[in-house]
Structure formats: structure tokens, C-alpha cells
Amino acid sequence: MRKLTTLIALLCVAPVAIPAMADEGMWLFNKPPLRQLQERYNFTPSPAWLEHLQKSAVRFNNGGSASFVSNEGLIITNHHVGFDCIQKLSTAERDLVANGFRAKTRAEELQCPDLEINVLMSIEDVTTRVSGATKPGMSSAEAEAATRATLNAIEKESLEKTGLRSDVVTLYQGGQYHLYRYKKYTDVRLVFAPEEDIAFFGGDPDNFEYPRFNLDISFFRAYENGKPARPDAFLKWSPEGAKEGELVVVAGHPGTTERLNTVAHLESMRDVSYPWLLNYLRRQELLLEIYSERGKENARRAKDDLLSIENARKSYDGSLGALQDPALIASKRADEQRLRQTGLAGDAFDMIERAVAKSRAIYVERQMLSSGYAFGGDLFNKARAIVRLAEETAKPNAQRLREYRDSNLESLKYGLLADSPIYGDLETAKLADSLSFWMESMPGDPLIAKVLNGKSPRQRAVELVQGTGLANPAIRKELVEGGKAKIDASKDPMLVVARLVDARARELRKQQEEEVQEPLRQAYAKIANAKFRAGGENLYPDATFTLRLSFGAVKGYRLDPYVQPWSTTFAGLYDRSAQHEREEPWDLPKSWTDAQSKIDLKVPFNFVATIDSVGGNSGSPVVNRNGEFVGILFDGNPSTLGYSFAYQDVDARAIAVHGRGILEALKSVYGATELLTELKK
């Protein structure tokens, strides 16, 4: 983030509606950056080009992006995006994470136990209908209920009409609403995964760094009715891959950005939420490290959680550093003041200040109970979902919590009832630590005493995990099908605790939705509309884990006193391993040491580009002007850690695996002729 201050100085002289600068922007597919692409790269993609890319892109609902790369449902994503499934398919005797996996035939492909993937088929603007649900004179609670009812109704109508997963997406934090319809796949099978040592070469020390040497890829296949899916579109693979200086375009699902947030909102994140979350993440990281040190099997079980926590900790740490830069806040305040002076946003900024103050007052308790940080592990989450499923489905669709709306029930039940591995000792460790964290954060809270029931956090965690039957999917299914009467009558201790805390958790959620989120929604709608009127028609919305289009140039950068090249090579991989005396995490799998003499060491391995991307973009396909696959995003360098709040391309770069490098690895290391044949069709 060294050059963030330079960027911020530029922002300080921007007009009221800040236009996207350089290669900035996570753009909507129904409002693509045609002018920017034409002006910067002399390229105007046709509607057919954009639709093909849109329908080739895939969202992994456990967090990440992907793309179809054959007409037989073959999908490529990152290894770290597919990691959840890869680990769930692993056992102590067959560790697919450590040793990798290759299905030489379709019969050998392994079905993921709980993975849902989505492909965006259409977008419809429903802003008028959603905004019209809020009438003048409504209280905040009435407005929130009316908006929720409208969203639930739109999605249900769409599902019944089309059969497609239907989600209304809030854009510009309330300025617009678009209905996204997705084709959904739940039969997704693992086809290929490299060994973790090459997929995550360099481990945590090299994470968010460059140069990089990672084969961060995995292949899956979508099935329909027991047969490989025939997607509407897929990406042709470029044998040459990305080239230095060329335009590249990305279709991915960036998770969250806060570039449109007001100063009051950002300061609350800087002073309250980010420090709290970082403390939680550091605590979790230590817990999982200690658990992993107890044995090889413990380390295998905790691997996915630990990698996720490490990545989140590093990301939040970088984002907090950006928020703590006075120049960032000064630039945001100056821009905010210019908009205030126009009067176009009315009382929006004051509304946000009041809402943020209310959020701060309940933040810790809400995180503990409503967000569930007091109850680590999967078992409590399943217990809460079962309790709430029965209660919410007894209500009309319009009155339900959003996740229990009719249009989402199929996906919710799929994940809730899936036969995924749950490890009792890991569940116990997580739950014990989270209960202890709750005690430390809210000493004297009478609800804690009721939950602990006279036991220490460790004793209570053991009692709850050993006493519950919810690890068994058959028991969960029996409870769900039995309905509220059966659930209320159950003596399962995890369900008893879920029922015990649910009243207060719901109160906190209701307070957050009515007194914080609803005023924020209304206020940001005013700000967005003010910016549109002030000339910001080309203003892109913050990221929402929905499909976006980004673009940039394949380009190295200078990080004084070094010039970082646009790509690394296979030769560089072996050199870096040797420089670290092949010690972990720079050791290479045996397959790679054995294949060194067979590999064309000059082939590009990883490369960088000025693409605007954040978490959730991992696994996004990188394509050239012809719409051909030339690489796959997997990370960013240190300067991208401020991307949640501002973009810059001085020394910030997205990092991708090179398409030609993937082919070289499949051929020379793995001999995966069946994959190469399918990709080259």
C-alpha cells in the first residue's frame, strides 16, 4: 500500500461523482464499461461477446469464482476455492489435499457432498418496484418489513415462473435493485487437483506477495440427471495464454468493497469492526495452529479452516492499514463535503451517522449472538438453522427472514442436510474457545451463565458436542421433516441451546435490520441518486459477490528499487525452492522434482495485470479480446489490500496462473492427456 497516498491525493481533486480512473471498476454485465474499453484499449465487446462470457462464468457458493472450459461441463477454479470439497472428500487414509487427485475417467470423478454452483442467466432491473414499497411517513420498522416482503415476493414469483434460482441484489447500498436469475447445479464432481505444496507454494509467507509460483487450480465437472452438463457457453482455451501488454478481461464474483461508504461509516469500520474482527481472527488462528500441532490427522482436519483464517487475517490487516491512513479519510471527507454542498443528498449523511452510532452500541453482542461468533463450529449453526426453519416456514413468505424465503429453501435444505464430515474433537475445540471468547467479551451477561449451565466453557463444549446427534444427517432430516412440534420436543442439547439464545439473537438482528440497515439503505439510495444526477452515470456499484466485469493490461510494475516482471517462469519456481533449501513451505512435491527435466522451464507460470479485483474474484477466468481463456486469477500483491476502499494501478496488481503454464503442468508433470484433449477440443 506504499502508493495508496499518491492515489488519495489524486482523489482529493476529483469531481463530486468520482469517475472510474484507469482500469478501475467492477462493472455490471448489464451496464458494461464500453466507453472506457473503447477509449483505453480500442475495444468494444459486442452483446454476444458479453453474453458468452457471462454464461461461461460460474459462482462457487462457498465463496469464489470459476468458468466452464468445455461443452461437457468441465469447470476450472482455484485450488483454494475448491479446497472445501477436496478436503471433505479426503480421509486420513486418502489425503487428496496433500497428494492431489486425478480422475482418468468419468467414473472416477468424485461428487462433492454439499457444493452448489450458479451460472447467471439473466438480469432484470426491479428498482422501481422495490423502492416503491417504502411509502412516505413509514417508520423504519415498517419500511424494512415492506422492503423485505417485496424482495421475497419478487424472488418467489421469478422462481415459480422460470425455475431458476432468483436473487434480488442490492446495488449502490440501496440505490438500485436487480433480479439475478441463476441456473443451479448441485451435482458437482472433482476431476483434478494438484498437490497442496504446488497449489499453495510459498504458503502464508508468500500469500498476497509477488513474484509467485503457484499452480492454484482445480478442475470440477457439473452434472445434470447423472450426465455431464451441456452448458450454454464455455471458454475456448488459448494455447498461448496471456501476453505482455495486452488487454485482458475478467468475469468474476468479487465479494465486498466499501468504496461508496461515507466517512462516518469508514471510521466505524476502522475503530470498531475491523479491530474486533482482527482480534477474533488472530485468536482463531492460534487455536487452529495449536490443534494442528497435536498430530498429522488434526492438521489435515483443520487445514481448510486454518488457511481461510490466515487469508482473512492478512486481508483485514491490510484493509485496516488503508483505513488508518489519514490521507484516505481526508480524501473521502473532501469528496463528501463537495456532495453535501450540492444539497442533492438531503439528510443522507446525518442518517448514516445516526445509524452507525446505533450499530456501534450493539456491535459486540450482535456479533456474538446474531452472527454466531459465540458458538464456533458447524453443529450449532445446523441447530439454529433447524430451529429457525420450522419457525420461519410457518409464517407467510413475505414475513420471513431473508434466508428462509421460499426461493431460497431448496438451497438452504441442500446444505443443511448434506452428508459432510464433522469432526467431534475439532468442533469441541472451536466451541470451547468461542464460549470463552463470549465470556471475555461480555462478562456478567446472564445469558452466558444459562448457556454454560454451571460448567466451564470447555466442559460445556464437550457436553454439547458429545450429547448432540446433529452430526448425523439422517437425524437432521428427521427433525426437519418432523416440523416445529418435533423440534420443540427434542432434548438434543445443541437444539436446547439454540432455542435458549434465539430470542435475544432475533432481537439484535431485528434492531440491526430496522434501526441500522434500513436507514443506511435509504440514505445510500439518496447518495447514489445524488451522484447520478451530478454526472455519475458511469459510477459502478460496490461488490456484492455477484457477477462483475473487470479489465486491465498484462503489465509488470516497479517496486523500488526492483522492477517486477509481468510473469514468472517454471525456472523461477525451481530457483525459489532451491533458495529456501527446499524447506516448507517452499518444498516441491515429488511429481515436480521428478518432472523437472521434462518441463519447458521458459514457459510463463504466474503473471500480473492491472485488473480491479478483491476476494471472491479468486478463480475468475482471464480472457483476451477473442474471449479465449488465457489465465485464472488467484491473488493480489500487497498494494491490492487497500482495494476495498480505493483502486490504484501504480504498483497494485492482480495475480493469475498463466494458461500456457497450466497446459505445461498438465502435460509434463501429470501426463493428464484426458484433460488436455478435452481442453483443446
Side-chain angles (χ1 to χ4, degrees):
M1 288 174 291
R2 241 174 6 95
K3 300 292 179 69
L4 190 61
T5 302
T6 303
L7 165 75
I8 290 162
L10 294 173
L11 288 175
C12 286
V13 297
V16 168
I18 303 176
M21 58 182 294
D23 296 334
E24 177 182 358
M26 301 171 193
W27 300 89
L28 302 173
F29 265 76
N30 55 335
K31 195 175 181 181
L34 299 179
R35 179 178 60 80
Q36 290 86 340
L37 283 168
Q38 180 61 36
E39 289 178 355
R40 289 186 60 78
Y41 294 101
N42 193 30
F43 175 62
T44 301
S46 68
W49 191 98
L50 290 166
E51 182 181 6
H52 185 88
L53 181 59
Q54 172 189 313
K55 292 183 178 179
S56 297
V58 176
R59 180 175 71 177
F60 269 51
N61 261 7
N62 58 358
S65 301
S67 58
F68 284 117
V69 286
S70 89
N71 66 347
E72 297 179 272
L74 188 66
I75 297 165
I76 187 170
T77 187
N78 290 150
H79 185 274
H80 76 264
V81 172
F83 197 106
D84 180 66
C85 172
I86 298 167
Q87 183 168 18
K88 286 174 179 175
L89 291 171
S90 298
T91 64
E93 297 73 31
R94 187 184 66 169
D95 190 344
L96 305 183
V97 172
N99 302 320
F101 175 77
R102 175 186 166 198
K104 296 181 180 179
T105 67
R106 303 285 168 82
E108 294 175 358
E109 295 173 358
L110 303 176
Q111 185 171 0
C112 298
D114 59 359
L115 177 61
E116 177 187 312
I117 64 171
N118 301 146
V119 179
L120 180 61
M121 305 305 289
S122 68
I123 307 171
E124 179 183 347
D125 190 333
V126 293
T127 304
T128 301
R129 182 173 173 185
V130 177
S131 299
T134 305
K135 306 299 182 184
M138 276 186 171
S139 68
S140 183
E142 290 169 337
E144 189 280 327
T147 301
R148 175 156 44 95
T150 303
L151 297 176
N152 290 0
I154 291 171
E155 291 164 341
K156 182 177 182 179
E157 292 166 10
S158 175
L159 174 64
E160 292 174 346
K161 179 180 178 181
T162 66
L164 298 175
R165 172 172 177 152
S166 301
D167 299 336
V168 177
V169 179
T170 303
L171 301 169
Y172 305 100
Q173 284 115 315
Q176 292 182 6
Y177 298 87
H178 291 181
L179 174 61
Y180 280 45
R181 296 187 179 97
Y182 299 94
K183 185 174 180 61
K184 180 171 64 178
Y185 298 90
T186 53
D187 185 353
V188 185
R189 307 184 192 182
L190 177 64
V191 176
F192 172 86
E195 306 91 333
E196 184 193 15
D197 284 348
I198 187 62
F200 196 41
F201 179 81
D204 187 53
D206 279 2
N207 194 21
F208 289 111
E209 299 291 343
Y210 186 79
R212 291 290 287 280
F213 307 90
N214 293 50
L215 189 69
D216 194 352
I217 65 163
S218 55
F219 287 93
F220 292 80
R221 193 181 306 279
Y223 279 73
E224 283 188 290
N225 302 316
K227 297 180 180 179
R230 296 285 183 175
D232 287 5
F234 70 94
L235 299 177
K236 180 182 177 182
W237 199 286
S238 164
E240 297 302 316
K243 300 174 184 176
E244 184 177 11
E246 76 170 334
L247 165 70
V248 286
V249 178
V250 161
H253 302 82
T256 304
T257 56
E258 293 86 14
R259 296 180 186 177
L260 302 181
N261 282 14
T262 66
V263 171
H265 207 159
L266 292 174
E267 287 178 335
S268 180
M269 296 167 67
R270 180 196 66 195
D271 300 338
V272 180
S273 57
Y274 274 30
W276 189 91
L277 286 167
L278 269 170
N279 286 335
Y280 170 79
L281 291 169
R282 293 182 186 116
R283 182 183 183 118
Q284 284 287 296
E285 188 173 1
L286 180 60
L287 166 74
L288 294 169
E289 285 174 348
I290 293 171
Y291 173 87
S292 299
E293 289 170 358
R294 295 174 188 156
K296 184 177 180 180
E297 175 60 9
N298 279 34
R300 186 192 72 79
R301 293 179 177 185
K303 176 69 76 172
D304 188 25
D305 287 337
L306 182 55
L307 290 177
S308 296
I309 291 292
E310 288 175 341
N311 189 69
R313 181 258 306 156
K314 207 163 188 177
S315 177
Y316 273 110
D317 191 51
S319 295
L320 180 59
L323 284 174
Q324 291 173 338
D325 187 334
L328 173 64
I329 300 299
S331 73
K332 297 286 186 179
R333 183 171 283 113
D335 180 56
E336 187 173 301
Q337 185 59 32
R338 285 190 291 272
L339 188 57
R340 281 178 183 264
Q341 289 171 352
T342 68
L344 294 173
D347 62 345
F349 293 100
D350 294 334
M351 289 175 66
I352 291 172
E353 288 177 7
R354 291 192 297 269
V356 166
K358 290 182 178 180
S359 181
R360 285 188 180 208
I362 61 171
Y363 181 79
V364 173
E365 187 180 12
R366 181 175 60 82
Q367 288 291 88
M368 287 298 176
L369 292 177
S370 184
S371 300
Y373 284 87
F375 300 96
D378 292 333
L379 290 171
F380 176 82
N381 290 331
K382 293 185 184 300
R384 169 173 281 179
I386 290 170
V387 168
R388 288 188 172 178
L389 180 63
E391 294 184 1
E392 292 298 310
T393 52
K395 303 174 183 177
N397 178 58
Q399 297 175 15
R400 295 180 200 163
L401 298 176
R402 289 283 290 140
E403 60 269 33
Y404 297 94
R405 64 197 187 274
D406 279 341
S407 62
N408 195 54
L409 286 181
E410 185 178 349
S411 294
L412 186 146
K413 289 180 181 179
Y414 176 68
L416 177 60
L417 302 179
D419 188 8
S420 304
I422 295 176
Y423 304 108
D425 59 338
L426 182 55
E427 286 286 311
T428 302
K430 289 180 181 178
L431 183 55
D433 187 73
S434 60
L435 290 172
S436 178
F437 184 40
W438 186 16
M439 287 188 71
E440 295 171 26
S441 302
M442 298 177 60
D445 188 328
L447 189 54
I448 299 174
K450 291 180 181 179
V451 169
L452 293 178
N453 196 28
K455 312 290 195 313
S456 70
R458 173 69 187 178
Q459 291 170 331
R460 187 60 168 142
V462 170
E463 186 176 77
L464 290 170
V465 173
Q466 291 184 353
T468 186
L470 297 184
N472 186 338
I475 291 177
R476 298 198 297 270
K477 183 178 180 182
E478 182 181 335
L479 286 163
V480 168
E481 292 178 348
K484 183 170 171 51
K486 189 172 187 65
I487 294 167
D488 288 346
S490 174
K491 300 293 194 255
D492 186 292
M494 201 68 76
L495 286 175
V496 171
V497 169
R499 293 196 298 262
L500 176 63
V501 302
D502 205 40
R504 181 56 181 159
R506 281 176 177 271
E507 288 175 4
L508 291 163
R509 174 166 174 167
K510 182 178 176 65
Q511 189 174 354
Q512 176 74 8
E513 290 177 343
E514 294 179 356
E515 299 179 20
V516 179
Q517 292 177 0
E518 177 60 26
L520 288 177
R521 183 187 71 82
Q522 294 182 27
Y524 277 115
K526 293 180 181 181
I527 290 174
N529 289 326
K531 288 183 175 181
F532 295 150
R533 291 197 298 273
E537 294 83 1
N538 290 312
L539 184 72
Y540 60 89
D542 271 314
T544 52
F545 194 47
T546 50
L547 189 63
R548 301 294 180 87
L549 185 145
S550 301
F551 63 91
V554 177
K555 182 180 178 182
Y557 59 100
R558 184 176 186 86
L559 188 63
D560 293 335
Y562 305 106
V563 174
Q564 302 294 357
W566 74 273
S567 80
T568 61
T569 64
F570 283 80
L573 165 71
Y574 288 101
D575 288 345
R576 186 159 178 79
S577 181
Q579 289 166 5
H580 288 275
E581 299 181 345
R582 298 178 176 84
E583 293 183 354
E584 187 180 2
W586 296 277
D587 52 333
L588 287 166
K590 185 176 185 300
S591 61
W592 282 73
T593 57
D594 290 347
Q596 185 172 358
S597 62
K598 305 175 189 176
I599 294 175
D600 183 347
L601 298 177
K602 299 186 298 296
V603 169
F605 197 3
N606 294 167
F607 70 95
V608 290
T610 59
I611 296 161
D612 193 355
S613 69
V614 294
N617 267 126
S618 291
S620 298
V622 185
V623 304
N624 59 20
R625 291 171 184 256
N626 297 323
E628 298 171 325
F629 182 98
V630 298
I632 180 170
L633 287 187
F634 73 93
D635 204 359
N637 70 357
S639 295
T640 63
L641 290 173
Y643 268 11
S644 287
F645 315 107
Y647 169 86
Q648 61 102 341
D649 63 2
V650 178
D651 63 358
R653 294 291 185 275
I655 309 174
V657 188
H658 197 277
R660 186 180 169 198
I662 295 171
L663 297 180
E664 182 66 23
L666 292 175
K667 180 186 76 170
S668 300
V669 179
Y670 298 105
T673 54
E674 68 289 339
L675 268 177
L676 289 166
T677 299
E678 187 170 356
L679 292 174
K680 293 178 180 179
K681 277 185 179 178

